[in-house]
Amino acid sequence: MGGDPDPPPPLTRTFVICESDEATAADKSSLHRFADQIGMTTAGLAEMGWKVATDEVAERAAEKPEEGKPRQSSRDRMKVVPGG
């Protein structure tokens, strides 16, 4: 405990530099390379073999037509537990 805190990771330092007015094209290029390395760009996703998942829950919800059945409240769904 005590002592100096850990320094921020290189991506964080580079991001802060790139937000400043003194940022160079090389700084912004290195930020883009970092983003590629951690899969935050389309090229980075492809390089890692990752894909953005489709929202299956929304698709299923859109397929289901709403029934005329009223929704139960949480109180209606509770059960009495003997001895509880």
Side-chain angles (χ1 to χ4, degrees):
M1 292 277 200
D4 292 332
D6 291 334
L11 174 62
T12 305
R13 286 194 305 268
T14 305
F15 187 79
V16 170
I17 290 168
C18 287
E19 287 185 327
S20 73
D21 292 335
E22 292 103 31
T24 64
D27 293 328
K28 294 181 180 182
S29 177
S30 64
L31 182 62
H32 191 77
R33 284 194 308 273
F34 276 127
D36 281 344
Q37 290 173 357
I38 63 172
M40 296 299 292
T41 64
T42 305
L45 288 170
E47 186 176 320
M48 293 184 177
W50 294 351
K51 285 184 175 180
V52 176
T54 59
D55 188 353
E56 297 170 2
V57 174
E59 289 174 3
R60 282 184 289 193
E63 291 172 4
K64 289 183 182 178
E66 281 293 318
E67 299 293 324
K69 184 178 170 184
R71 183 178 171 147
Q72 288 182 321
S73 72
S74 56
R75 183 175 293 276
D76 292 337
R77 292 189 306 264
M78 294 178 79
K79 296 179 182 176
V80 176
V81 179

